[in-house]
Amino acid sequence: MPTTPIARALLSVSDKTDLVPFARSLASLGIELISTGGTARALAEAGLDVTPIHEVTGFPEMLDGRVKTLHPLVHGALLGRPDLEDHVQAMDEHGIVPIQLVCINLYPFEQTIRREDVTDAEAIEQIDIGGPSMIRSAAKNHAFVTIVTSPQQYDEVIDDIRRNDGTSSNDMRRKLASAAFTRTANYDTAISQWMSRKEDEPFPPVLQVTGRRSRILRYGENPHQRSALYTTPGDGAIQLASAPLRSGKPLSYNNLNDAAGALALVNDLAIVNRDQIAATVVKHTNACGAAIADAATDAFLAAWEGDPRAGFGGIVAMSAGIDTELANTIADGSRFLEVIIAPSFEDDAVEILAERWKNARLLEVPGIGAIQPQAPTIRSIPGGLLVQEPDSIIADPTRWSHAAGPAPDDALLSDARLMWIVCKHLSSNAIAVGGSGRLLGAGTGQVDRVGACSLAIERAGEALSTLECPVAASDAFFPFPDGPALLADAGVRCIVQPGGSKRDDETIELCNERGITLLMTGVRHFRH
C-alpha cells in the first residue's frame, strides 16, 4: 500500500521521558509538531517550534483539560484514508489536514490507584478519554498513521523513518498498532476492575491478567518445554522479574521459580527479625538452609551448614547487602551456587563472586524486609483459573497458645518462630526441625505427616543432638500423636503446629508426658 512521508505529528504525553529528544528528531526530519497542554509547554521550553492544539481545532482546551482533542479536525486527520477519493474530498471540504504520526501515553491511572490514600475523585480525574480515543483512531488507520504509545518505542520509530525516506514501514506501523490496542485494552481493564471493586469482595467479576513479555527463556522446567518471562505492572511489591542482574548468565525458568521461593522466605524472616540478618538456601523452591544471626557472615554460614549437600547448585538469598567480607565467605570452599539474591552488592563483591563462579547470577532486589503488597496467586487448571489471596500472615508468637509442656522463654519462641516461617515456605506436607537460630532438616512434599517427620529428622542428622532445645514446626495439624511421638524420640523439645485436629488432646497429653512445649498457632500454611 503506498504511503506518503510523515508531515505532521501530534504529541500528547503524561510520561515525558525522552520526549524532547524524540520530538527534536522528528523536527529534524521536517515534521511539523502539534501538541497539547503541558506537552506543548515542555517542547516550547526546549526551543522547539510547536503548534498548540487549539490552533488546529479553533477551540480552547476546556473543562479543566477534559476536552482538548475530541474534535473532527483531530480525529478526521487520523481516520481519513488518503487512498479513497471521497475521504480526500471530505477532508478538503472541511479543512482537515492529515496527521501521519501520533505519540501518546495515557494519564497514570494505574499508578494513581495504587496509592493507599487515593480518593475516588483523584482516581476518576486520571481516567484518560482523549488519549485512548486518539490511540484507537490512529491504530485503526495504521495503514497510514504511525501510533507511538511508549518511550521505549522512540528510537526504533526514528530509525525506521530514517530508513524509509521520511515515512514508516508497514511492518512497523502494524507492530505499533498492535501494541496500541493492547495498551488501551489493559488501561480499560484497570479502570473496569477498579470501578467494580467492593470492599468485601477481593475478586472482580471478570479477571484480566496483564503481562508484558520480557524475554523468551531457553526452556521451561524441562528442555522440551518452551517458556517465557512476562513482567506485570509494578504495584509497590518487591520486583523480582525486573531486578537488575549484576553478573552471570540470564536466569532460567527454574532459576526464577526458585529465586521467588528464596526471596519470599528471606523477606518473611527479615520482617520479624529486623535487628538481625536473615539468610536462606533454597533448592527446587524448598529451603535446605535458613538462619538468622547478628552478622551476615554468621547467618550465611549457619544457613549453608543446614544441609550442604542439598544446597549444592542452589540459590542463596540474604536480607543484607553483600560486601567484600561476605562475598569472600560465600565464595570460599567447594560450594556451587546458581543464584545469589541480596538488596545490594558492592562492586568489589561482584568481582569476587564473578571470579569464583563466572555464570552465577547475582540478582539485586531492593526492599527485602519490608511489608509489601502482594498480588493474588493464580494457577491454571483445565478450563479455568484458581485465584487466591497470598499467604501473607506474619508469624506472631504473641497470638499463639501455649497448649502443653514447659512455658517457652524468649529464645525458644524465637526459634519456634523461625521454624514456623520456614515451614510456611515448604511444600506440603512439611516439617521443619532446627534450633539455635537455624534450620537443620526439612521434610517436604510428603503425602503423610509421619513421613515428613521422619525425613526432617533424617536430614537433620547428628546435628539435632547438639542442640539444647530442638524445635519442630508442622504446616498443618497432626491428625494423630504418632508424628509428635517420632519427633519426641528424636530429641525435639518444642513443637509448633496450627492445632485443630479431633485428636489434639492426644498430642497435648503426649507433650505433657514427655515434657515437650507445644505451641498452637491457629493458622495453617499448606503450600502446593
Side-chain angles (χ1 to χ4, degrees), residues 170-218:
N170 291 331
D171 288 345
M172 176 61 70
R173 290 194 303 277
R174 187 173 182 87
K175 172 184 172 182
L176 294 172
S178 174
F181 281 121
T182 298
R183 177 67 186 114
T184 56
N186 293 341
Y187 193 75
D188 286 342
T189 295
I191 296 169
S192 173
Q193 292 188 349
W194 177 79
M195 294 288 287
S196 65
R197 78 200 190 290
K198 296 179 182 178
E199 294 298 330
D200 59 346
E201 175 51 72
F203 305 110
V206 177
L207 177 66
Q208 297 285 349
V209 181
T210 300
R212 181 181 295 274
R213 194 179 73 194
S214 172
R215 60 188 175 92
I216 300 293
L217 302 176
R218 186 179 175 191

Side-chain angles (χ1 to χ4, degrees), residues 104-164:
I104 295 175
N105 54 63
L106 305 174
Y107 292 173
F109 177 81
E110 295 103 328
Q111 293 92 324
T112 299
I113 61 174
R114 292 187 196 114
R115 287 180 13 220
E116 292 185 2
D117 59 345
V118 68
T119 65
D120 281 7
E122 289 172 326
I124 288 170
E125 283 308 309
Q126 293 303 317
I127 297 176
D128 203 330
I129 302 301
S133 299
M134 287 189 290
I135 289 175
R136 291 178 64 83
S137 290
K140 176 175 180 176
N141 204 26
H142 67 273
F144 307 99
V145 181
T146 304
I147 173 63
V148 183
T149 54
S150 169
Q152 282 72 43
Q153 299 167 339
Y154 291 170
D155 288 343
E156 64 175 341
V157 168
I158 293 298
D159 290 345
D160 188 70
I161 295 171
R162 286 173 175 158
R163 284 195 303 269
N164 289 279

Side-chain angles (χ1 to χ4, degrees), residues 3-337:
T3 56
T4 56
I6 297 172
R8 303 173 87 208
L10 172 57
L11 294 82
S12 180
V13 298
S14 292
D15 178 2
K16 295 177 175 56
T17 302
D18 293 332
L19 167 67
V20 170
F22 179 62
R24 203 180 299 281
S25 295
L26 294 174
S28 72
L29 294 166
I31 298 172
E32 177 189 356
L33 304 180
I34 304 166
S35 193
T36 64
T39 306
R41 286 192 297 273
L43 297 177
E45 290 170 1
L48 289 163
D49 291 331
V50 58
T51 302
I53 193 67
H54 66 81
E55 292 186 12
V56 174
T57 64
F59 279 84
E61 297 183 20
M62 62 181 69
L63 306 180
D64 297 322
R66 287 188 172 199
V67 178
K68 302 175 187 175
T69 58
L70 297 171
H71 195 282
L73 291 177
V74 173
H75 285 272
L78 301 178
L79 287 165
R81 290 180 53 176
D83 62 330
L84 296 180
E85 185 176 348
D86 58 336
H87 278 218
V88 174
Q89 290 177 351
M91 293 173 74
D92 288 343
E93 180 181 351
H94 296 286
I96 298 173
V97 182
I99 295 172
Q100 294 87 10
L101 185 145
V102 180
C103 176
I104 295 175
N105 54 63
L106 305 174
Y107 292 173
F109 177 81
E110 295 103 328
Q111 293 92 324
T112 299
I113 61 174
R114 292 187 196 114
R115 287 180 13 220
E116 292 185 2
D117 59 345
V118 68
T119 65
D120 281 7
E122 289 172 326
I124 288 170
E125 283 308 309
Q126 293 303 317
I127 297 176
D128 203 330
I129 302 301
S133 299
M134 287 189 290
I135 289 175
R136 291 178 64 83
S137 290
K140 176 175 180 176
N141 204 26
H142 67 273
F144 307 99
V145 181
T146 304
I147 173 63
V148 183
T149 54
S150 169
Q152 282 72 43
Q153 299 167 339
Y154 291 170
D155 288 343
E156 64 175 341
V157 168
I158 293 298
D159 290 345
D160 188 70
I161 295 171
R162 286 173 175 158
R163 284 195 303 269
N164 289 279
D165 299 323
T167 187
S168 57
S169 64
N170 291 331
D171 288 345
M172 176 61 70
R173 290 194 303 277
R174 187 173 182 87
K175 172 184 172 182
L176 294 172
S178 174
F181 281 121
T182 298
R183 177 67 186 114
T184 56
N186 293 341
Y187 193 75
D188 286 342
T189 295
I191 296 169
S192 173
Q193 292 188 349
W194 177 79
M195 294 288 287
S196 65
R197 78 200 190 290
K198 296 179 182 178
E199 294 298 330
D200 59 346
E201 175 51 72
F203 305 110
V206 177
L207 177 66
Q208 297 285 349
V209 181
T210 300
R212 181 181 295 274
R213 194 179 73 194
S214 172
R215 60 188 175 92
I216 300 293
L217 302 176
R218 186 179 175 191
Y219 53 79
E221 285 190 276
N222 301 292
H224 61 273
Q225 294 173 273
R226 293 187 293 181
S227 69
L229 172 65
Y230 286 78
T231 57
T232 52
D235 56 3
I238 292 176
Q239 297 297 306
L240 173 65
S242 56
L245 187 65
R246 294 295 305 273
S247 180
K249 296 194 303 184
L251 282 86
S252 69
Y253 181 100
N254 288 331
N255 290 154
L256 288 162
N257 198 34
D258 287 349
L263 185 59
L265 173 54
V266 80
N267 191 62
D268 268 9
L269 291 175
I271 287 172
V272 300
N273 296 282
R274 297 197 178 278
D275 297 328
Q276 293 182 296
I277 309 301
T280 64
V281 184
V282 166
K283 194 83 167 285
H284 296 297
T285 75
N286 285 288
C288 47
I292 53 172
D294 294 332
T297 54
D298 293 339
F300 168 76
L301 289 171
W304 182 261
E305 290 165 4
D307 194 338
R309 184 179 66 182
F312 189 87
I315 290 179
V316 165
M318 302 290 304
S319 66
I322 295 184
D323 56 17
T324 55
E325 179 185 6
L326 180 54
N328 279 316
T329 300
I330 294 173
D332 187 40
S334 59
R335 302 182 185 96
F336 170 60
L337 296 173

Side-chain angles (χ1 to χ4, degrees), residues 330-363:
I330 294 173
D332 187 40
S334 59
R335 302 182 185 96
F336 170 60
L337 296 173
E338 287 276 0
V339 182
I340 302 172
I341 303 169
S344 62
F345 290 82
E346 290 184 357
D347 291 342
D348 289 344
V350 172
E351 292 185 11
I352 292 167
L353 295 169
E355 183 177 353
R356 176 67 175 84
W357 302 292
K358 177 182 176 181
N359 294 326
R361 294 85 167 169
L362 309 184
L363 202 58

